């Protein structure tokens, strides 16, 4: 379930109120948060459209010049149409080098097959390159094979499971990763091409037959970028909410908060399942996610994220 | 330019005439050819729809039971909606093993990026698997990397060329394939991910800098399936009409005609550029393609293909 609390409003009134908040010396950030922090994706696109019509200006550009820092980045990502926002996140991740691989994996593994396509289209519109082209040019070897495979995959979305295949491929995965220098070709094939439903059956079968989860097994030798990316892919396919709980935990618990991770999870999940992620967070950490967020960050950035968290 | 000669008609009249041709003992193949051989893709889909409404029967099933052999297969493929037809062709090719790799490569390299997506969707609807899943499960090593890369690629469709990149990547391609046991990772990356426009610039640059075309160079060591597939990919991207001319030539000149190749080219290109392919064929062989077709095949199959060839 979502955490976003929406309010009814007209895009014209919203545009006028925002224009008022921008006017004069300094910006009325409180109004910006009050409005944009309570509008769903459709309302936000309507605001963007009507602001353009009334003031002949892209509200995104205006927000960029009015706001700053993590707050600006969070609002900007929140205002972009989701496929376009994910294209931006993936592009930033590509440029980030090895820190960013997990973000690329996360986005293409959590999105539905159709959403991945929409994001790839948005990526092309924005950067005049294909996503797989940029990912492939920045990586080599197994890591490239895995990332390009995940990006290029248009997984079958049906519910059929082939139990015999789940058994065979659980064994192949086990063979493929049991040694540090394993032959990963088959593991890459399975993880990048099978439907998510089939993969869940295979991962369950792995647990049943080998007495441990494949992610635990992978962690034992998750020392390089390829292993980390494979680990992330399996976790996102297996249970993306649990994965996001961990991203939030890592972002908040480390010395110096990881604002990018924090913003990404809140902005991409607030309208989808951030409530479930919050519950998982409380179960795992015995503190409320909002309290932790309130402790670690400050100012308008904090107010905005807490608003999206439904506080 | 197309070779198909279309005639105006109503789908209802066509359905009635076809039903009459099916009726009684034996089929009136001449009428089937006269009607279906002169209808464009839109008209054919309308006929299928209206035949279903009038007779509560799929005309495709009826055609399968009324016709036989190569003629049946050609009419069946002609009647399918193009994305669906290409999905069928690719699926047959996957089952064909090493004979079929070139067909997979041909289809995904000649279609536009959007057409490839439509075909992948059709493939899923029909076979309840993703195309990349089936291709990957039937191949290994470099061949798998190449085929899965080509299938998964959603190439950028813009016209921008980066001349510096063309130079660098022409050199990378040259390095990559100059030895028999080269490192093909980079060649695969370039061929599977770059836009077609960029690839044309790179292939031209290759010719300028290395004094020969990359396809000639590849032919020198095109002994295995991977090299053949790479060769086919580059030829289809470089000049697909020239490629089709060669497919026709090989299909007709060998002992025992290759009806599958012949049908595939005629059925997939009759509404697009078969006229250009015919002209290339005449230039290259000093005989008319239709005359060669008329000599090598017979019966209703021959009459149907010649009709699509605009005879």
């Amino acid at each position: 379930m979502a955490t976003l609390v929406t309010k009814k409003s007209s895009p014209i009134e919203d545009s006028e109120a925002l224009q008022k908040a921008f006017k004069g010396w300094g910006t009325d950030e409180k109004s910006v948060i009050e409005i944009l922090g309570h509008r769903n994706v459709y309302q936000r696109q309507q605001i963007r459209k009507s602001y353009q019509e009334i003031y002949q200006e892209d509200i995104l550009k205006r927000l960029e010049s009015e706001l700053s820092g993590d707050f600006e980045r969070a609002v900007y990502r929140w205002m972009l149409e989701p496929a376009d926002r994910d294209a931006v996140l993936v592009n930033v991740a590509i440029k980030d080098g090895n820190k960013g691989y997990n973000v690329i994996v996360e986005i293409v593994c959590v999105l539905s097959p159709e959403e991945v396509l929409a994001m790839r289209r948005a990526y092309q519109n924005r950067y005049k390159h294909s996503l797989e082209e940029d990912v492939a040019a920045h990586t080599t070897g197994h890591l490239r094979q895995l990332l390009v495979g995940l990006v290029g995959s248009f997984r079958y979305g049906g519910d059929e499971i082939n139990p015999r295949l789940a058994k065979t491929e659980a064994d192949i995965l086990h063979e493929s990763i049991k040694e540090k220098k394993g032959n990963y070709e088959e593991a890459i094939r399975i993880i990048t091409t099978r439907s998510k439903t089939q993969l869940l059956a295979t991962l369950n079968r792995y647990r049943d037959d080998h007495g441990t989860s494949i992610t635990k097994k992978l962690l034992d030798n998750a020392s390089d970028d390829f292993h980390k990316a494979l680990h992330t892919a399996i976790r996102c396919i297996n249970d993306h909410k649990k994965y996001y709980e961990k991203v939030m935990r890592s972002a908040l618990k480390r010395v110096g908060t990881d604002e990018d991770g924090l913003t990404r999870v809140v902005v991409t999940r607030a309208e989808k399942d951030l409530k479930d992620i919050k519950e998982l967070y409380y179960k795992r950490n015995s503190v409320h996610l909002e309290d932790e967020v309130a402790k670690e960050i400050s100012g308008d950035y904090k107010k905005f994220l807490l608003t999206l968290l439904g506080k």
Side-chain angles (χ1 to χ4, degrees), chain A:
Chain A
M1 273 185 59
T3 52
L4 179 71
V5 181
T6 55
K7 287 177 193 158
K8 274 196 185 166
S9 81
S10 93
I12 296 173
E13 280 169 32
D14 281 345
S15 297
E16 288 167 353
L18 284 164
Q19 163 72 4
K20 212 176 133 201
F22 299 151
K23 249 189 180 166
W25 197 74
T27 309
D28 174 7
E29 284 91 357
K30 211 181 136 196
S31 299
V32 173
I33 296 171
E34 185 52 38
I35 298 169
L36 298 180
H38 294 291
R39 300 292 180 273
N40 67 28
V41 60
Y42 177 73
Q43 293 175 308
R44 300 193 303 274
Q45 299 317 308
Q46 291 297 104
I47 292 173
R48 195 174 172 187
K49 219 174 123 189
S50 100
Y51 193 92
Q52 178 73 43
E53 281 165 12
I54 305 174
Y55 305 107
Q56 276 85 51
E57 187 184 12
D58 185 353
I59 193 168
L60 276 172
K61 290 230 172 358
R62 187 67 192 252
L63 284 164
E64 265 185 314
S65 77
E66 294 286 337
L67 315 176
S68 67
D70 292 316
F71 178 47
E72 174 211 326
R73 247 199 312 276
V75 172
Y76 188 87
R77 276 152 202 201
W78 179 243
M79 282 301 287
L80 285 174
E81 191 271 315
D84 200 26
R85 173 201 66 213
D86 291 337
V88 170
L89 289 173
V90 170
N91 184 260
V92 170
I94 292 172
K95 291 190 200 139
D96 256 3
N98 56 0
K99 278 189 306 167
Y101 300 140
N102 286 333
V103 177
I104 304 172
V105 172
E106 166 193 311
I107 290 174
V108 295
C109 288
V110 173
L111 293 180
S112 75
E114 288 296 339
E115 287 170 334
V116 174
L117 280 188
M119 183 268 284
R120 291 169 77 187
R121 253 184 242 284
Y123 191 96
Q124 290 200 10
N125 283 339
R126 198 172 254 275
Y127 303 108
K128 311 295 171 202
H129 276 179
S130 75
L131 173 56
E132 55 273 28
E133 178 173 11
D134 288 350
V135 168
H138 282 77
T139 48
T140 57
H142 282 142
L143 180 67
R144 176 194 284 168
Q145 268 183 56
L146 177 65
L147 293 183
V148 172
L150 290 173
V151 165
S153 188
F154 179 47
R155 296 183 198 271
Y156 175 58
D159 278 336
E160 297 88 343
I161 288 172
N162 178 339
R164 252 179 49 197
L165 191 69
K167 160 84 181 134
T168 327
E169 298 199 334
D171 290 344
I172 294 175
L173 285 175
H174 188 248
E175 277 304 306
S176 182
I177 65 165
K178 80 178 170 189
E179 291 157 60
K180 263 202 173 161
K181 298 229 163 245
N183 173 8
Y184 296 106
E185 307 273 325
E186 285 294 289
I188 293 171
R189 171 183 68 79
I190 294 167
I191 300 300
T192 58
T193 66
R194 294 300 183 196
S195 79
K196 288 190 184 177
T197 321
Q198 179 67 33
L199 279 175
L200 283 183
T202 302
L203 297 175
N204 284 331
R205 187 70 202 223
Y206 187 102
R207 249 189 309 269
D208 292 346
D209 290 358
H210 301 286
T212 179
S213 75
I214 187 171
T215 44
K216 286 227 177 72
K217 194 84 197 162
L218 269 171
L219 261 191
D220 295 345
N221 42 21
S223 47
D224 57 24
D225 291 334
F226 167 69
H227 277 92
K228 282 182 203 156
L230 187 60
H231 188 244
T232 302
I234 295 173
R235 290 181 60 215
C236 289
I237 291 164
N238 194 46
D239 186 342
H240 71 268
K241 293 178 195 169
K242 243 170 95 179
Y243 164 84
Y244 281 125
E245 184 281 322
K246 178 73 192 296
V247 174
M248 291 299 250
R249 185 161 19 114
S250 309
L252 291 164
K253 294 268 160 94
R254 70 174 208 169
V255 185
T257 313
D258 169 17
E259 283 85 2
D260 284 338
L262 201 59
T263 301
R264 190 176 76 248
V265 179
V266 172
V267 161
T268 58
R269 308 316 296 179
E271 277 174 285
K272 295 193 161 177
D273 47 20
L274 194 51
K275 203 166 179 190
D276 308 325
I277 297 167
K278 262 166 65 170
E279 280 163 19
L280 283 175
Y281 193 93
Y282 186 72
K283 264 192 205 160
R284 173 66 180 73
N285 304 287
S286 312
V287 283
H288 290 293
L289 179 58
E290 298 97 308
D291 296 342
E292 210 70 353
V293 168
K295 218 173 71 188
E296 297 295 330
I297 61 175
S298 61
D300 297 318
Y301 177 48
K302 168 172 134 182
K303 282 179 209 149
F304 183 57
L305 288 203
L306 288 179
T307 304
L308 295 187
L309 275 158
K311 185 90 176 179

